[in-house]
Amino acid sequence: MKTKVKKKQLWLPYVLIAPLMIWLLVTVFIPVVNVFIESLRNTTYVGIKGDFVGLDNYLSVFRDENYWTAWLKSIQWLIGCTALQTVLGFGAALLLNGHGRLRRIAKTWSIIPWIIPTIVVSIMWQWIFNSSYGILNDLLQKMNLIQEGINFFGESRAMWTLIVVNVWHWFPFTTIILMSGLSTIPETLYESAEVDGASRWQRFRYITMPGLSKITFALVVIGTLWCFNIFDTIFITTEGGPLNLTTTVPIYIYREAFKNYQIGRSSAVSIVTAVLLLVLASILAKLSKPSEDE
């Protein structure tokens, strides 16, 4: 009887994890293998098998200046989105932290940008930022702050405009996570510090910041990898323009596959990008490891 129970306990973890492993096999492993196979061919159209070309696609990717330029744009996108999203989320979480009626209402309304579909967000902000009939330009002109409409999607402003749109859409997620973190910090710590004469800044610096440090770092790591893969906001709003100034790596991959009809080459770009992101994720994971004295 004991042997049967032991055998059951031995197999139970594998039975429980089997559905997840099957799901990962179907949705991740098999597609990645197919993409790698396509990267070794000169396939041009979906469904048409190309000839085997070995590593030629990979060599052309490493020689392509446009690919590395797309990486620079992706880095600019990452830094802007992650930094602004974290700062706004942190500030909003501190303002909304509490139990008052107005704060409860504000917490509910703060989630709205996050739940709006991306296509709606993109089109809405296109209208707001439009240089001819956009509400923002109209408001600035009525306030006599500008004489002519500002082209927010022009060469010098396009990327930063997209960053604002994306941050507006996603910073409520950061706010919710940080508010959850704030609720785990014991109120007694603040009360004791206040009794000892600590100022608001000192309570923030020595209690709030350390209490949220791990959560904030995790959000930065997740936000970095998450932001890199954002495609829809950029494509719907600018399609990578003007003059490729908002062409990030996901947009570049899409163009290679479905605009230039280079499925094999776009597959090679995808594999190279995935490897570089794995390296980045490994570095970030190593940095996020708690020290031995924690």
Side-chain angles (χ1 to χ4, degrees):
M1 189 69 179
K2 287 184 179 179
T3 308
K4 287 183 179 179
V5 172
K6 284 183 180 179
K7 284 184 178 180
K8 186 178 179 181
Q9 290 175 346
L10 184 66
W11 283 101
L12 184 59
Y14 297 100
V15 172
L16 294 175
I17 204 173
L20 176 61
M21 298 306 296
I22 294 170
W23 175 257
L24 289 175
L25 177 69
V26 172
T27 60
V28 178
F29 182 74
I30 294 176
V32 168
V33 170
N34 286 334
V35 169
F36 178 71
I37 292 171
E38 285 298 328
S39 71
L40 302 175
R41 295 175 176 155
N42 62 352
T43 306
T44 53
Y45 295 95
V46 177
I48 300 176
K49 187 181 288 188
D51 298 325
F52 180 79
V53 294
L55 298 177
D56 287 356
N57 286 326
Y58 289 93
L59 293 174
S60 68
V61 170
F62 284 110
R63 293 170 185 159
D64 188 1
E65 291 183 4
N66 292 327
Y67 174 62
W68 300 111
T69 301
W71 259 99
L72 291 176
K73 295 300 175 184
S74 288
I75 291 170
Q76 181 185 354
W77 167 261
L78 280 179
I79 293 172
C81 287
T82 305
L84 191 56
Q85 190 170 303
T86 303
V87 170
L88 282 179
F90 209 107
L94 291 173
L95 287 173
L96 297 176
N97 186 43
H99 307 288
R101 186 182 175 187
L102 289 176
R103 286 181 175 177
R104 285 199 301 270
I105 296 171
K107 285 176 186 178
T108 304
W109 281 91
S110 68
I111 303 173
I112 289 178
W114 183 33
I115 63 177
I116 298 175
T118 303
I119 188 168
V120 177
V121 170
S122 301
I123 293 173
M124 178 182 73
W125 281 99
Q126 276 183 317
W127 290 346
I128 291 173
F129 283 129
N130 189 278
S131 58
S132 301
Y133 54 81
I135 188 174
L136 181 57
N137 271 308
D138 182 58
L139 183 63
L140 292 174
Q141 286 175 336
K142 284 180 178 177
M143 295 172 66
N144 293 322
L145 296 175
I146 58 172
Q147 299 299 321
E148 297 180 356
I150 300 171
N151 184 8
F152 288 100
F153 293 106
E155 294 179 21
S156 59
R157 302 184 184 94
M159 179 59 79
W160 296 109
T161 302
L162 282 175
I163 288 171
V164 169
V165 172
N166 188 67
V167 168
W168 181 87
H169 190 198
W170 288 107
F171 92 89
F173 171 78
T174 306
T175 302
I176 292 168
I177 300 299
L178 289 172
M179 280 195 296
S180 301
L182 285 170
S183 65
T184 64
I185 301 175
E187 286 291 334
T188 52
L189 292 177
Y190 292 102
E191 292 170 2
S192 301
E194 193 172 357
V195 169
D196 290 339
S199 64
R200 284 189 177 184
W201 166 248
Q202 288 172 327
R203 296 198 295 272
F204 173 76
R205 181 180 177 184
Y206 295 109
I207 299 175
T208 306
M209 285 295 289
L212 293 178
S213 59
K214 291 183 180 178
I215 294 176
T216 305
F217 190 88
L219 280 172
V220 170
V221 173
I222 295 169
T224 299
L225 300 176
W226 196 350
C227 283
F228 184 92
N229 292 312
I230 288 177
F231 169 84
D232 45 8
T233 302
I234 300 174
F235 184 77
I236 295 168
T237 310
T238 64
E239 294 189 12
L243 303 174
N244 296 329
L245 291 174
T246 58
T247 299
T248 57
V249 175
I251 299 291
Y252 177 87
I253 293 171
Y254 171 83
R255 281 183 179 172
E256 285 297 302
F258 302 109
K259 295 288 186 181
N260 300 332
Y261 303 106
Q262 296 292 330
I263 300 295
R265 193 172 185 282
S266 69
S267 299
V269 175
S270 300
I271 295 295
V272 171
T273 303
V275 171
L276 292 175
L277 282 178
L278 280 172
V279 172
L280 176 62
S282 300
I283 294 170
L284 292 174
K286 193 171 183 181
L287 289 173
S288 65
K289 254 187 181 178
S291 57
E292 294 180 1
D293 35 316
E294 284 185 350

